[in-house]
Amino acid sequence: MKRSNSGEPQGKGSRLHPISLVFFIAKAIKDLLYPLLVFLISTIVRKEVNLLWIGGGSVLFLLLLISISYLTWYRFTYYLENNALHVEQGVFVRKKTWITRDRVQSVDTTAGVVHRVLGLVKVSVETAGGKKPEVALNAITGGEAEKIRTALLLGSTPASNSAAAEPSSAAVNGHDLSGEDGIAAPVAEERAAVPIETIPAGAPEPHDTRVLSAKDLLLFSATSGRVGVIIALFGAAYSQLDDVLDRFIDFKGIISSWFSTHALNIGLIALFAFAGLLVAWLLAILITFVKEYGFTLTRNGDKLVITRGLLEKKQITVPLQSIQAIHLTQNLLRRPFGWFSVHVVATGYDEKNGTSALMFPLLRKTELASFLQRFAPQYEMPDQWQRLEKRSLASFLTVPLLLSIAVIIPAIIWIPGSYGWLAVLLPGLVGVSAWLNYKQTAWHAWDGRLFIQYGGFTKHQALIHRRRVQWNRMSETPFQLRKNLATISVALASGRNRAMFSIRHMSAVSARELKGWFAGHKKPSH
């Protein structure tokens, strides 16, 4: 037995660095934090505090936690053999895991503050179809991490890479998708992988790097739109803790007392609202800045390496062959300036159970073409778009407007005070969003590639290769049938979830032509 970066006896298998004990303890405390806090606070509130019992129980709990964490570390071993990772773990029940390179989707590394001080990294290995990392080695040396990455990713043969990146388009998860509703996307001669680019024999592999500047990082953070998430988190936290907090600080009494001695006016309310939004916005900027600090995109041959993070440095490797689509987004704040965020839809890679991962945070419109040529040469921007017909507008507007109007009267009745009247603004916002959806929906099919544009307040553009489409579907609702409209949807392999893109309320004639184009029958007319 040998240990990572230590002098333990040598044998088959390595242990994690001893600092893993701290991580195991921290994880256990994190998992038990909420019930422990509830128990302690409820005990204090009921005034049933017995310092002897609390002190003794805490000591006993810590001793038990440390003992189990030590056994967890001691019984956790791993080793590489024949380009496969073997892991054995478990205190009372031994779990043995073998991960072969043909099943690996990603090998990612992260390094928190403690890791970086000790020169260590955390390695997460994800396999096809997994919803979380199959194996997490939470503290090993950078050299060992590189050996694992080389064995499981870089040592893969072209055939295994192609098989992982090209799921069968005729079946998804064992289900036949051919038929009226869904057809296999590629034709027989397009089964080969999407070519990355032709590199002459003996020529050096392409190498390029782009680093997000401090100015662009600040612009990205300030326009990230995460202020809504921060406000929602504050609201959720207060709703969970308001009863406990009121026992210590009478917030409602303080606010009522203040308003009883000060005249209430619209200006004062607006000032408080602005101050709250400003605090949430600054906090959102700080969180985004810390998360994306030092964002670096590097192309090494046929792989992209993405590195980012201030407190926790993350690094992921994306083979170009695994990329299914490029996804561009522009929120309402960035659109006037022509700023884009570039995401990559790839097998085995996503963020927070989403369908795409951030490839580069902020690009200007004039930089897009050269950026794609440098880092994703198999993708490019279209030179034209096919727009919807005017009769499609009513389909975008009707249902959302009717639903928003139906909400007004219940809101006025049940929302206390005069705040319910704010619901009168809802149909206007919904109408603007629906109109933007109509104006921005477009597509273009050319040279085996499909380009889709859609979105309301946030505009999306998807650059897709036809052979990457797992399945496509044409659907027609009763309302669409009356106007001879249809919706085309396409599905791509992604990380934990399948990526879906749709062209809504297009003419049925264009939808049938596009459906035939997917099958390789003919090229859509423009």
Side-chain angles (χ1 to χ4, degrees):
M1 181 69 64
K2 64 179 180 180
R3 192 185 69 199
S4 171
N5 198 28
S6 74
E8 288 226 349
Q10 299 295 305
K12 192 171 185 179
S14 299
R15 291 198 181 98
L16 303 174
H17 191 276
I19 197 65
S20 298
L21 277 170
V22 177
F23 298 138
F24 286 135
I25 293 172
K27 183 180 183 302
I29 293 176
K30 177 184 176 182
D31 294 339
L32 297 172
L33 183 61
Y34 191 77
L36 285 175
L37 284 177
V38 171
F39 172 75
L40 289 175
I41 293 175
S42 62
T43 301
I44 294 172
V45 169
R46 292 197 307 266
K47 298 181 179 179
E48 298 176 358
V49 179
N50 187 318
L51 296 180
L52 182 61
W53 278 99
I54 291 179
S58 299
V59 171
L60 184 62
F61 173 76
L62 286 176
L63 289 175
L64 182 63
L65 191 62
I66 293 172
S67 300
I68 293 177
S69 298
Y70 175 79
L71 290 174
T72 301
W73 168 79
Y74 187 80
R75 300 271 285 170
F76 191 111
T77 59
Y78 69 95
Y79 62 93
L80 282 170
E81 186 176 62
N82 297 326
N83 290 325
L85 179 63
H86 301 253
V87 177
E88 296 185 18
Q89 58 184 311
V91 177
F92 303 109
V93 178
R94 297 292 284 170
K95 177 183 176 183
K96 298 183 179 181
T97 304
W98 292 266
I99 302 179
T100 57
R101 65 185 183 186
D102 59 325
R103 295 294 299 165
V104 173
Q105 289 281 21
S106 66
V107 180
D108 301 332
T109 61
T110 59
V113 176
V114 176
H115 289 91
R116 287 149 74 177
V117 169
L118 298 175
L120 305 172
V121 296
K122 175 183 177 181
V123 175
S124 300
V125 181
E126 293 194 20
T127 57
K131 293 187 176 181
K132 62 179 182 179
E134 191 72 24
V135 167
L137 308 177
N138 59 23
I140 64 175
T141 64
E144 290 178 344
E146 191 58 34
K147 289 180 183 177
I148 293 173
R149 185 193 300 276
T150 301
L152 299 183
L153 280 183
L154 308 187
S156 300
T157 62
S160 63
N161 277 342
S162 176
E166 287 291 334
S168 169
S169 58
V172 178
N173 296 331
H175 298 289
D176 186 9
L177 295 174
S178 59
E180 293 184 2
D181 290 335
I183 64 171
V187 291
E189 60 269 22
E190 292 181 341
R191 297 292 183 181
V194 176
I196 297 174
E197 67 180 322
T198 302
I199 302 175
E205 290 189 335
H207 182 88
D208 204 348
T209 299
R210 173 152 183 160
V211 180
L212 184 69
S213 66
K215 174 186 174 182
D216 285 352
L217 175 58
L218 185 59
L219 291 175
F220 175 75
S221 302
T223 59
S224 66
R226 289 179 177 171
V227 60
V229 177
I230 300 298
I231 293 174
L233 289 176
F234 275 135
Y238 180 75
S239 66
Q240 294 293 322
L241 300 174
D242 59 342
D243 291 336
V244 176
L245 293 175
D246 285 344
R247 294 178 180 271
F248 299 95
I249 302 176
D250 187 10
F251 287 107
K252 297 176 181 177
I254 294 173
I255 294 173
S256 299
S257 175
W258 193 91
F259 278 116
S260 65
T261 57
H262 295 76
L264 183 62
N265 57 71
I266 298 298
L268 195 59
I269 294 176
L271 181 62
F272 277 111
F274 176 77
L277 286 172
L278 181 61
V279 171
W281 180 61
L282 292 175
L283 186 57
I285 291 176
L286 178 62
I287 292 173
T288 306
F289 190 91
V290 170
K291 181 181 178 182
E292 310 299 346
Y293 179 84
F295 197 105
T296 303
L297 174 64
T298 302
R299 181 184 176 189
N300 287 323
D302 61 349
K303 297 173 292 296
L304 296 179
V305 180
I306 301 172
T307 307
R308 62 180 178 180
L310 179 61
L311 299 181
E312 183 180 50
K313 189 175 183 180
K314 297 183 179 181
Q315 183 182 90
I316 65 172
T317 301
V318 182
L320 289 179
Q321 200 62 45
S322 72
I323 296 178
Q324 308 297 299
I326 298 295
H327 183 195
L328 311 175
T329 61
Q330 276 184 301
N331 65 24
L332 200 59
L333 296 175
R334 295 173 186 153
R335 199 179 308 169
F337 305 99
W339 298 339
F340 288 83
S341 289
V342 184
H343 301 258
V344 59
V345 179
T347 51
Y349 299 90
D350 58 19
E351 293 180 343
K352 299 294 183 181
N353 297 325
T355 58
S356 63
L358 188 62
M359 182 178 178
F360 204 78
L362 195 71
L363 281 178
R364 286 142 187 91
K365 186 176 182 179
T366 54
E367 300 173 319
L368 270 177
S370 61
F371 175 85
L372 293 176
Q373 180 60 36
R374 291 166 59 190
F375 296 101
Q378 66 271 47
Y379 295 91
E380 60 184 83
M381 294 296 294
D383 55 2
Q384 59 179 314
W385 293 98
Q386 185 172 350
R387 304 283 176 176
L388 297 174
E389 300 178 7
K390 290 183 178 180
R391 56 194 168 98
S392 301
L393 177 58
S395 298
F396 279 96
L397 288 171
T398 304
V399 175
L401 280 178
L402 289 176
L403 292 176
S404 62
I405 292 172
V407 169
I408 294 177
I409 294 178
I412 293 174
I413 294 174
W414 286 314
I415 295 179
S418 58
Y419 296 108
W421 288 96
L422 293 174
V424 175
L425 302 175
L426 187 59
L429 293 174
V430 170
V432 171
S433 177
W435 181 81
L436 287 173
N437 263 293
Y438 160 72
K439 292 294 291 183
Q440 292 171 172
T441 298
W443 72 96
H444 180 59
W446 170 77
D447 193 27
R449 303 171 191 180
L450 177 65
F451 308 92
I452 298 176
Q453 179 176 283
Y454 64 96
F457 293 116
T458 297
K459 185 166 78 172
H460 301 259
Q461 293 175 325
L463 317 180
I464 306 166
H465 272 276
R466 174 169 55 183
R467 67 199 72 185
R468 293 298 197 186
V469 176
Q470 287 194 317
W471 55 263
N472 69 84
R473 178 170 56 227
M474 175 180 170
S475 59
E476 296 172 284
T477 67
F479 297 103
Q480 288 177 325
L481 284 171
R482 291 178 57 189
K483 296 183 178 181
N484 198 27
L485 301 175
T487 296
I488 286 284
S489 301
V490 299
L492 307 173
S494 183
R496 297 170 176 84
N497 301 311
R498 187 180 298 119
M500 295 284 296
F501 298 99
S502 299
I503 310 170
R504 299 172 57 209
H505 306 309
M506 65 192 304
S507 73
V509 174
S510 297
R512 293 188 192 96
E513 289 180 349
L514 191 57
K515 189 173 175 67
W517 176 81
F518 278 117
H521 296 160
K522 58 182 178 179
K523 182 177 179 181
S525 59
H526 296 287

